[in-house]
Amino acid sequence: MHIVFIVGSYYPNYSAVGKCAGNIADALSKNHKITVICSKNHLNQNEEEIYNSQRIIRIMTKEKETRFNLEENIHHAIGFKRRVNEARYKLYKLSRVLKTTISKTSIRIELVQSYLEALNNIIEPTDAIIPVSMPFESIVAAVQYKTTYNKKVKVIPYLFDQFVDNENLHRFRFNKNLKRTSHIELENKLFQKTEAVLAMHSLSTHFKNDLLKLSNVYYLEHPLLIKQKSSSIKACDEKIKVSYIGSLLKGYVTPDYLLELYIKTNMENTVLNFYIIGNCTEVVNYYSRQFPNNIINHGSVDKETANKKMSYSDILISIAEKQGIQMSSKIFDYISYGKPIIHFYTVEEDVNLKILKKYPNVLCLKQDEELLNENVRAFDDFCDNNYDRIIPYEEVAKIFNDATPEYTVDIIESIIMS
């Protein structure tokens, strides 16, 4: 069978969702032909290549090309020209925000058309399309391709993130609320034209409350549980290596409480490393300048490097998004190494807590100023007592069986063959 994935960022600069898709594509490629349509990560990236027996096709919208060019102009300019280019970039970003705000739905038509064009350029027959969301445009393009060009193809959306209630995507809360009905109607319309829907457990409440007509939904976990090699060996005189690896976004996933707590801990025993993308660099750098021997911002790293840092770290830090409705795929990455995890959350209903309470090596701390001193003591005790405790992969796999790629692959194959 020929199976086509449609994703956002993929190899070699995987997004969190792209890595989940990659694990499934890797497993399926053992018995099936796999094509992956994804977005370019930079202007000069190859439009096509073969990786892990997969054909990768990369697309770029005019909007993204313009943004990349503006960023390049800023990077290469100095003085007055740099300020002019920065102003142009801000104006362009503002124009995109306004366009998204005044549109009926938060769908980028350019991206849908680019995905659709790539699908139409594939010569060999396609048996199934797995659009991976986010971006949600992948689903729009896949369903449009099925209804317009190839009614026999099976479309199986694979949902990791909220679309309807994603404030970060819709830019503003009022925009999210204003378009909520339209977005639910769009989801219902699209999903009814698919063979089945794969969705994370954290999306079940939305499906049950807002998408009542759907019965072909399979609830899964992030397929990130793959046996990893843990290489952390702490020397007697070495500090405990504590690491946060992933995105930080203002108003969504923020490091402020972690940093405020950490500087009150026994920092003589630990070093806090950040391997991050996002727009919280300034606050991390501020604390790093104050405590250069204990807080280090390594900036953005590729997936291979991120994996090495997880392997070499003694303790891994997780920070939930503030509303607690989005399951963090990073947690399963962490769990796969069997490492101790310290999870920071804001609301008692945080969906990540349901997963982590089953993991034998975790400390969950609520981001509450009144609990700060108590949390500092708990942080220190956990680091001192658990830094060298590794949970065997076989034990983890038994606890989280549905987070293994093989579990999801079995479901996908059964849907395609039915």
Side-chain angles (χ1 to χ4, degrees):
M1 287 187 293
H2 179 208
I3 303 171
V4 177
F5 284 78
I6 310 178
V7 301
S9 294
Y10 199 65
Y11 169 83
N13 302 108
Y14 294 95
S15 63
V17 169
K19 185 55 186 172
C20 290
N23 286 348
I24 300 301
D26 288 345
L28 283 168
S29 66
K30 296 173 184 176
N31 298 309
H32 308 287
K33 186 173 185 178
I34 302 297
T35 299
V36 179
I37 300 172
C38 61
S39 295
K40 282 188 175 184
N41 294 112
H42 55 80
L43 285 170
N44 299 319
Q45 195 168 20
N46 292 335
E47 292 184 358
E48 189 169 330
E49 67 176 291
I50 302 297
Y51 170 74
N52 270 8
S53 301
Q54 304 165 29
R55 179 189 179 194
I56 300 177
I57 300 171
R58 298 190 180 92
I59 56 100
M60 179 174 287
T61 62
K62 289 292 184 183
E63 179 273 330
K64 198 167 187 178
E65 184 178 0
T66 300
R67 181 163 61 83
F68 279 156
N69 280 321
L70 288 170
E71 289 172 349
E72 282 287 308
N73 290 341
I74 293 171
H75 179 72
H76 293 294
I78 58 174
F80 178 72
K81 283 188 176 181
R82 185 182 180 90
R83 291 194 294 273
V84 170
N85 287 329
E86 287 173 343
R88 289 177 61 200
Y89 184 54
K90 289 178 181 178
L91 284 172
Y92 183 73
K93 286 175 65 178
L94 178 61
S95 72
R96 302 302 303 186
V97 171
L98 290 173
K99 185 176 180 179
T100 299
T101 304
I102 64 175
S103 61
K104 182 181 178 181
T105 61
S106 300
I107 296 295
R108 293 164 289 176
I109 303 301
E110 292 172 280
L111 183 55
V112 173
Q113 293 301 322
S114 294
Y115 281 144
L116 196 57
E117 183 179 349
L119 283 168
N120 278 315
N121 286 338
I122 296 174
I123 298 173
E124 55 267 52
T126 300
D127 298 288
I129 302 173
I130 301 178
V132 186
S133 180
M134 305 292 283
F136 196 79
E137 285 83 354
S138 65
I139 300 172
V140 179
V143 172
Q144 189 171 334
Y145 176 79
K146 176 182 176 70
T147 55
T148 307
Y149 302 103
N150 185 359
K151 290 181 172 56
K152 293 182 179 180
V153 72
K154 294 188 175 183
V155 175
I156 309 169
Y158 197 0
L159 310 179
F160 290 90
D161 297 317
Q162 272 277 355
F163 170 65
V164 170
D165 292 315
N166 190 325
E167 288 190 16
N168 195 50
L169 170 67
H170 304 305
R171 305 288 185 173
F172 308 105
R173 182 172 296 182
F174 80 87
N175 188 44
K176 179 199 73 174
N177 295 336
L178 183 67
K179 297 177 181 178
R180 195 173 193 279
T181 300
S182 295
H183 287 152
I184 290 174
E185 289 176 355
L186 177 62
E187 282 191 330
N188 266 310
K189 179 182 176 182
L190 292 172
F191 294 154
Q192 287 175 24
K193 296 178 180 179
T194 67
E195 274 57 45
V197 177
L198 311 179
M200 298 300 100
H201 287 295
S202 57
L203 299 175
S204 62
T205 301
H206 167 59
F207 272 77
K208 292 169 184 176
N209 291 342
D210 299 317
L211 304 172
L212 302 176
K213 297 179 181 179
L214 294 178
S215 58
N216 58 342
V217 182
Y218 295 81
Y219 294 108
L220 307 165
E221 278 303 346
H222 295 74
L224 290 169
L225 214 56
I226 297 174
K227 190 171 185 178
Q228 307 284 358
K229 182 179 179 182
S230 293
S231 304
S232 177
I233 302 175
K234 178 182 172 295
C236 293
D237 59 346
E238 187 180 20
K239 292 182 178 181
I240 297 169
K241 301 180 290 294
V242 183
S243 301
Y244 178 86
I245 302 164
S247 299
L248 292 172
L249 298 167
K250 293 177 181 177
Y252 190 66
V253 178
T254 58
D256 303 76
Y257 189 88
L258 164 62
L259 290 163
E260 182 184 0
L261 177 147
Y262 180 69
I263 63 173
K264 294 179 180 293
T265 64
N266 183 12
M267 290 192 293
E268 290 183 5
N269 293 339
T270 62
V271 58
L272 178 58
N273 297 289
F274 287 88
Y275 303 90
I276 56 173
I277 59 173
N279 56 13
C280 292
T281 301
E282 289 180 9
V283 65
V284 175
N285 287 344
Y286 171 79
Y287 279 88
S288 180
R289 287 193 294 270
Q290 307 304 313
F291 305 94
N293 295 323
N294 294 92
I295 301 174
I296 304 172
N297 182 9
H298 302 270
S300 175
V301 297
D302 59 31
K303 183 60 181 174
E304 183 179 352
T305 303
N307 287 343
K308 288 180 180 178
K309 298 307 177 184
M310 280 186 255
S311 175
Y312 293 141
S313 298
D314 299 305
I315 293 174
L316 298 166
I317 297 290
S318 164
I319 306 175
E321 51 86 15
K322 291 191 173 182
Q323 288 185 302
I325 61 174
Q326 183 61 54
M327 180 66 205
S328 173
S329 61
K330 186 191 304 94
I331 283 176
F332 284 100
D333 254 342
Y334 284 1
I335 287 174
S336 66
Y337 286 89
K339 295 295 182 75
I341 299 171
I342 301 178
H343 177 69
F344 289 85
Y345 66 99
T346 302
V347 296
E348 297 292 346
E349 300 78 20
D350 176 27
V351 296
N352 301 282
L353 297 177
K354 297 177 183 178
I355 298 297
L356 288 169
K357 71 179 182 180
K358 297 188 289 184
Y359 186 62
N361 202 10
V362 66
L363 172 67
C364 296
L365 300 177
K366 188 174 185 181
Q367 298 185 111
D368 185 332
E369 290 297 326
E370 293 184 2
L371 299 174
L372 184 62
N373 291 331
E374 179 183 331
N375 287 344
V376 167
R377 290 191 293 272
F379 185 100
D380 277 335
D381 289 344
F382 186 80
C383 290
D384 290 340
N385 296 322
N386 293 275
Y387 72 88
D388 58 351
R389 184 184 173 204
I390 304 296
I391 307 299
Y393 176 79
E394 291 72 20
E395 182 179 339
V396 172
K398 286 181 180 178
I399 299 172
F400 303 102
N401 178 52
D402 62 348
T404 61
E406 293 77 15
Y407 184 92
T408 299
V409 165
D410 287 344
I411 292 174
I412 290 172
E413 289 182 329
S414 68
I415 295 168
I416 296 174
M417 297 300 292
S418 62

